[in-house]
Amino acid sequence: PYFRKPPLGFWIHGAVMKLFGVDLTVARAPSIVAALGTLLLTFWWVLKQGNRTWAFATALVLAITYEFVRRTREISLDHWQLLFMLAATIVVLQAVQRRENGWGGATLAGVLFGLSLLVKPLGGGIAFGIAGLWLIATRRLDKRTFIQMLWVFVVMMVVGGAWHVYMYAEFGQAFIDGYLGGEVIDRLEGEVNPVGWSYYPHLWLATYWPWLPIFLWGLFAVYSQRQQQRPGERDVLWLALIWLVMWGLVLILLPDKRPRYALVIYPAAAIISAYGLMSWSWAKKWLEKKPSLWQVIAPSLLLMILAVAPLRVQAPADPDWQALFAWMDNQGIEPKALWEYHIYDGDAGRFYLRYRQWPHAAIDRLTLQPKPVPSGSLLLYTDSIQPPQTQTVLFQAGKLTVARVPD
């Protein structure tokens, strides 16, 4: 069993590979779909509450946001989490605004929040809190809305909690230690990849181009034009600002920091950047000249082209693993002959994508106890784990070592 993450994101990517084959392009395809869904959802929300030109500008900014596009070139749980969280937030806010079929919208929002919790932990709860803050900021939190939000929370916990309850019932303390301990608590306590608070400001200064100065101008335009904004525009801007502030605080305060975690802020940042563009008459006139259908098709096509274009935006393939694959191929070693000694699942995935099968596990994932390995088998070690002296080292490259189990 895999305890480190909920299963939904893996199910989605796994189902696509099951249907279309194990291939890097196929593996990344669901990430592109999720990113496209987020772009279209953001476009629709701004169109519904603001205007078509602003929606077009927002989608265009998001489609050319480096980090947003870069995350489509990997199996990205963060893109799916963002899509479910954003969809849930917009659904619940629309239900509150329309006042009709509010319970249906609240139920759907709860399901979507729950699905986000089945991709990665905690994020759905933060997005739910952002929706609540938006209701307070826009003065829409009355008794009826409060009860509906309670219902959203209940549905979210039922949908998102189902897998967690099952895993605890099936695996007990091992699940608690591996999931809450290794995945949640260790990250919150800074046991995993701890980095200082300035990590994300530096990331933005390095990567949010050409939009960073336009984003800052957009913040100024939001404030300076606050008296002229229509109610729908204020609703969009309130959500974008609350989303940015809350997720910004979470990202800065969370000790575990990685570039992909910042993915959640880019739709809201695109809304503010687009608002800044709209404050310049020449930019607004250029955007308004585009045909209505083109305003939604162009950003979508641009995103997909950038997502599949032969551009290197990720780190090169790990040289240690490439050396291992070359050695195995040259020596004629069958993939089924290799056992792995407690290798990180993401690294074992490299092996699967290359050979279409997983290496045998020499450590039981549930009990963390060694399994009996047949004599003469090849054992793969990584990082600081070295083979015992009774085993013969056959290959070594950087962090990887292959040794033969004695007869």
Side-chain angles (χ1 to χ4, degrees), residues 321 324-325 328 334-345 347-353 355-363 365 371 378-380:
W321 282 92
L324 172 67
F325 298 149
M328 290 180 61
E334 292 291 330
K336 62 184 179 182
L338 199 70
W339 292 66
E340 54 90 3
Y341 192 87
H342 205 33
I343 289 177
Y344 174 62
D345 301 274
D347 285 334
R350 304 173 194 264
F351 191 92
Y352 181 80
L353 286 173
Y355 295 114
R356 309 301 190 263
Q357 65 182 74
W358 297 97
H360 301 290
I363 297 292
R365 294 301 178 95
K371 291 182 178 179
L378 303 183
L379 261 174
L380 174 63

Side-chain angles (χ1 to χ4, degrees), residues 28-44 59 62-63 68-69 71-72 79-80 82-83 86 263 267 296-305 307:
R28 294 196 301 251
S31 298
I32 299 175
V33 172
L36 183 61
T38 298
L39 182 143
L40 293 174
L41 189 62
T42 307
F43 175 90
W44 180 83
L62 191 57
F68 184 80
V69 176
R71 296 300 153 193
T72 63
H79 262 304
W80 283 103
L82 173 59
L83 176 61
L86 190 61
L263 189 70
V296 65
I297 292 177
S300 302
L301 286 176
L302 183 59
L303 173 64
M304 290 188 287
I305 290 171

Side-chain angles (χ1 to χ4, degrees), residues 281-337:
S281 58
W282 62 269
K284 186 175 182 180
K285 288 180 181 177
W286 182 85
L287 292 164
E288 287 175 338
K289 289 180 181 179
K290 307 306 173 187
S292 298
L293 187 60
W294 181 248
Q295 289 179 343
V296 65
I297 292 177
S300 302
L301 286 176
L302 183 59
L303 173 64
M304 290 188 287
I305 290 171
L306 292 175
V308 301
L311 304 172
R312 181 173 292 281
V313 296
Q314 302 283 32
D318 189 297
D320 299 342
W321 282 92
Q322 295 306 305
L324 172 67
F325 298 149
W327 175 76
M328 290 180 61
D329 295 342
N330 291 334
Q331 297 294 321
I333 297 173
E334 292 291 330
K336 62 184 179 182

